Amino acid sequence: MSPSGKPEIGRRRSIARSRLFAVEALEIEFSNGEQRTFERLTSNGQGAGAVMIVAMPDPDHVLLIQEYAAGIEEYALTLPKGVIDPGEDIVTAANRELREECGYGARVIEPLIELTLAPNYMTHRIHVVMATQLYEERLPGDEPEPLTVERHAIEDIDALLSRGDFHEGRAIAALFIARERLRERQASPDPMFW
């Protein structure tokens, strides 16, 4: 076992690589002497992770996008999101992605939480932020087709969950977290928030 108390990672080797991802094998020894080989998916050159934006055009609504999800081969309703480019911080990346995908910028962007997707198999992390005080501004993005932007009541997450196209776990978690943060603020309102 390593001095930190974590299992000891021995040999690392690359198994496969694509334009976006790499598969890495880790030889790991646990404190009881057991040894295992674990495989994980890593992002090529995307060490800073990604951002997911809960964009609030007003205190009651959130913007969602409809985009093609190649992994499940269908369109999915989700929150705007994207990779943090080299040299960007979370706030800059979130504002860029929001302008590219929704046609809005935000005067206020507040980090909420960092989420993982499948931490046993992936290194990917996504930073969830809340964007408020929106204004219209569009940047050209890298999407292969125009995205449809929808506006939904954040208090009615159940209506979204009843739709067949709203099922991304990260987006669901982000909306619940943002809704709870908003409820906390309502109990002690900050007039500068909106």
Side-chain angles (χ1 to χ4, degrees):
M1 186 183 312
S2 72
S4 68
K6 296 181 189 177
E8 185 84 26
I9 298 176
R11 186 172 162 224
R12 297 172 191 255
R13 59 189 163 84
S14 178
I15 296 174
R17 188 171 294 280
S18 75
R19 179 178 60 85
L20 297 175
F21 304 106
V23 179
E24 180 179 57
L26 303 174
E27 305 296 332
I28 300 177
E29 183 175 344
F30 292 84
S31 62
N32 62 0
E34 284 291 317
Q35 297 180 0
R36 295 284 192 278
T37 301
F38 283 80
E39 293 178 0
R40 68 181 184 178
L41 186 65
T42 65
S43 301
N44 281 337
Q46 305 300 335
V51 292
M52 177 173 273
I53 305 108
V54 179
M56 308 281 303
D58 61 60
D60 300 317
H61 294 89
V62 62
L63 300 177
L64 293 115
I65 58 169
Q66 187 76 242
E67 68 178 347
Y68 186 71
I72 59 172
E73 300 179 21
E74 61 186 51
Y75 282 89
L77 186 66
T78 188
L79 292 169
K81 61 188 169 302
V83 171
I84 299 171
D85 288 340
E88 284 185 324
D89 59 22
I90 295 165
V91 170
T92 303
N95 217 358
R96 176 184 49 75
E97 288 292 341
L98 183 59
R99 292 184 306 203
E100 289 175 0
E101 295 188 359
C102 294
Y104 288 93
R107 290 182 182 87
V108 177
I109 295 181
E110 171 190 1
L112 294 178
I113 194 166
E114 180 182 82
L115 299 174
T116 59
L117 184 56
N120 289 14
Y121 303 101
M122 299 174 69
T123 61
H124 184 72
R125 296 173 182 269
I126 196 159
H127 303 273
V128 178
V129 302
M130 186 184 307
T132 57
Q133 297 184 23
L134 304 186
Y135 57 90
E136 289 188 29
E137 183 178 344
R138 179 164 296 282
L139 286 177
D142 58 1
E143 289 74 23
E145 63 183 355
L147 300 177
T148 301
V149 179
E150 297 184 16
R151 185 180 171 130
H152 291 273
I154 195 160
E155 282 295 330
D156 200 3
I157 296 173
D158 288 342
L160 286 169
L161 291 172
S162 69
R163 291 179 56 150
D165 62 349
F166 184 70
H167 41 66
E168 183 181 358
R170 299 175 302 176
I172 294 167
L175 286 182
F176 275 108
I177 291 164
R179 185 179 73 181
E180 288 309 305
R181 181 69 56 90
L182 291 169
R183 286 177 176 175
E184 290 169 9
R185 289 214 174 114
Q186 288 173 349
S188 165
D190 177 359
M192 298 304 293
F193 186 64
W194 299 103

